[in-house]
Amino acid sequence: MPPFPQTRLPVTDVARQTFAQVFGGPRRIFRAPGRVNLIGEHTDYNLGFVMPAAVDLYCSVAIAARSDRELHVYSAHFAEKLVCDLEPPHPSPRGDWSDYVIGTAIALENSGFELRGANLVVSGEVPLGSGLSSSAAIEVSTGAALLNVSGHTLDRKQLALACQSAENEFVGARCGIMDQFISAHGQAGHALMLDCRSLEATSLPIPSDVRLLVSNTGVKHQHAAGEYNARRRQCEEGVRLLSSALPGLQSLRDVSAAQLEQHKRLLPDLTYKLCRHVVTENERVLQMADSLVQGNLAAVGKLMADSHRSLRNDYEVSCAELDIMVDIAAGLPGVIGARMTGGGFGGCTVNLVEGRAAESVGRELMAQYEARTGIRPETYILNATDGVTEVT
Ligand code: GLA
């Protein structure tokens, strides 16, 4: 059994050292976190509610401005360098790590921020493809770094929106705003309940005796990106069909459970089930916020279980490995609640665990999961942390 908790790379040190080797000279370092989502899955692009927390797994970017308009970007992870001119015509996406960096630079310029050329080293420790938003961490750290060395003040909301548009327009994933928003705005010790329409966020303290235990199933099923975009299209189709009875309807955010039942006959069965997930999940986020404020951890656990069931049965974005991980957690003493987190089709589950039980729950989860699936999982005990910062 691997040691627990697992040792992590000091990612900022890697960025610092690699910059000295590849470019040399003075540099600044910006660091942005990955995230877990406690509840509110596949609601962000339906302009509903989400409840993510930024976690202490980071991407760090070491940067120094250049006198021209070129970006020289080196990935410490892939040991690969790319040069790109900020002057149009802009390059096409290459389908690799560099798209998150170049896409962010182009999106910032398209939003009106003129950037200076720069030398950058990117170094990340958010496990890739794990559903913990390694991509948002790269985008937000790169964006903050480029804005700062170009003399712009950091507007976190605009940064998050530009990073989302990098992902939508350049990378080609039609994600919502959750991941980029929390990587920019995270708050130590807190989850944020975000209204994805108004972009108003409410801080919710994570009780001091509760730990975030994240378990990585170690699988990422094929077609996840295609399935994600397909769910999004089907939600839009649901809105279109429902708007014949609810004139002016813009998003599922504005549909109540009662309205959905009343107009169910307008929807094909599959679309109805997808809409039901979104509508009930939005209600669960609001109830979860109340339950956290009241310290009602039994209610928190039930809401997380209901969320997972709805994602599995109605939205159909879970998979056997995620279900097994959640099922094991549900039977372990000290677990308050467990559910899949992120887009689904593999990746991680999030467990809220009583502090003193966190390590033993982690060990049991790993052992039982490996016994049932033959896959050795990873488990991380994480802390809710601040959004993007400059590191000295
Ligand atoms: C991914 C996307 C987010 C969100 C989640 C599902 O993480 O990037 O915008 O839609 O899936 O809740």
Side-chain angles (χ1 to χ4, degrees):
M1 169 126 4
F4 187 85
Q6 310 208 334
T7 320
R8 290 202 226 115
L9 281 178
V11 74
T12 298
D13 292 348
V14 174
R16 190 179 286 124
Q17 284 164 17
T18 311
F19 191 92
Q21 287 157 9
V22 176
F23 299 111
R27 78 286 160 282
R28 294 166 72 185
I29 297 183
F30 296 83
R31 189 181 79 170
R35 63 104 188 86
V36 288
N37 188 19
L38 300 189
I39 197 161
E41 221 65 84
H42 291 276
T43 44
D44 59 353
Y45 53 83
N46 289 299
L47 303 188
F49 300 96
V50 293
M51 197 185 288
V55 292
D56 50 348
L57 289 171
Y58 299 99
C59 179
S60 289
V61 171
I63 187 166
R66 296 172 57 89
S67 53
D68 57 17
R69 287 258 293 160
E70 286 181 358
L71 296 180
H72 290 223
V73 193
Y74 185 86
S75 161
H77 183 82
F78 294 102
E80 203 176 75
K81 188 169 163 191
L82 179 98
V83 176
C84 152
D85 202 325
L86 283 167
E87 290 301 324
H90 291 132
S92 304
R94 305 193 324 166
D96 64 13
W97 63 272
S98 65
D99 292 350
Y100 302 99
V101 177
I102 305 303
T104 298
I106 295 173
L108 285 170
E109 289 240 320
N110 288 345
S111 322
F113 297 100
E114 191 173 332
L115 301 179
R116 297 181 64 180
N119 294 331
L120 301 95
V121 167
V122 178
S123 170
E125 65 185 346
V126 186
L128 302 178
S130 63
L132 299 179
S133 269
S134 55
S135 55
I138 297 182
E139 291 153 2
V140 171
S141 51
T142 303
L146 287 170
L147 285 174
N148 271 280
V149 298
S150 303
H152 300 290
T153 43
L154 185 69
D155 177 325
R156 289 172 189 266
K157 200 183 280 186
Q158 287 204 30
L159 172 62
L161 287 167
C163 292
Q164 182 199 11
S165 102
E167 190 120 11
N168 292 171
E169 317 278 329
F170 197 75
V171 177
R174 296 188 66 208
C175 67
I177 187 64
M178 169 169 71
D179 304 347
Q180 292 77 13
F181 189 95
I182 191 69
S183 186
H185 292 84
Q187 212 185 325
H190 293 73
L192 295 189
M193 183 174 76
L194 174 65
D195 177 334
C196 296
R197 180 162 59 197
S198 66
L199 296 187
E200 271 168 35
T202 311
S203 307
L204 296 162
I206 296 175
S208 56
D209 49 349
V210 172
R211 305 301 310 270
L212 294 174
L213 178 78
V214 172
S215 14
N216 192 343
T217 59
V219 298
K220 188 76 203 167
H221 289 287
Q222 272 185 339
H223 311 306
E227 292 285 349
Y228 183 94
N229 288 347
R231 294 294 183 290
R232 187 165 175 167
R233 270 197 310 279
Q234 284 163 311
C235 288
E236 287 160 2
E237 176 64 1
V239 169
R240 195 183 66 75
L241 293 170
L242 286 168
S243 66
S244 66
L246 302 167
L249 185 69
Q250 297 290 326
S251 73
L252 290 177
R253 149 70 177 268
D254 290 315
V255 180
S256 68
Q259 284 172 324
L260 184 63
E261 288 311 309
Q262 189 187 348
H263 303 301
K264 185 177 172 178
R265 63 184 167 72
L266 295 173
L267 303 174
D269 285 354
L270 179 64
T271 315
Y272 164 71
K273 277 172 58 182
L274 297 179
C275 293
R276 182 167 65 184
H277 165 72
V278 175
V279 166
T280 57
E281 184 79 348
N282 276 328
E283 287 178 351
R284 281 186 288 272
V285 179
L286 298 172
Q287 288 167 16
M288 176 98 155
D290 288 344
S291 306
L292 277 173
V293 169
Q294 289 157 12
N296 184 347
L297 296 182
V300 165
K302 176 167 185 318
L303 288 164
M304 290 175 78
D306 290 348
S307 169
H308 186 80
R309 202 172 303 115
S310 177
L311 286 157
R312 185 187 65 203
N313 298 344
D314 276 1
Y315 217 67
E316 298 188 30
V317 290
S318 188
C319 63
E321 294 86 355
L322 284 167
D323 294 343
I324 288 172
M325 195 70 98
V326 167
D327 184 52
I328 298 169
L332 295 178
V335 175
I336 296 159
R339 58 180 287 282
M340 57 160 273
T341 190
F345 302 105
C348 291
T349 67
V350 56
N351 308 273
L352 292 183
V353 179
E354 288 167 15
R356 62 191 155 68
E359 298 220 351
S360 62
V361 168
R363 270 194 298 271
E364 267 303 304
L365 262 182
M366 290 200 284
Q368 291 193 29
Y369 179 82
E370 187 173 357
R372 278 174 69 175
T373 62
I375 304 167
R376 176 165 295 202
E378 287 187 352
T379 317
Y380 325 102
I381 297 176
L382 300 174
N383 296 296
T385 189
D386 286 330
V388 64
T389 48
E390 180 163 10
V391 184
T392 45

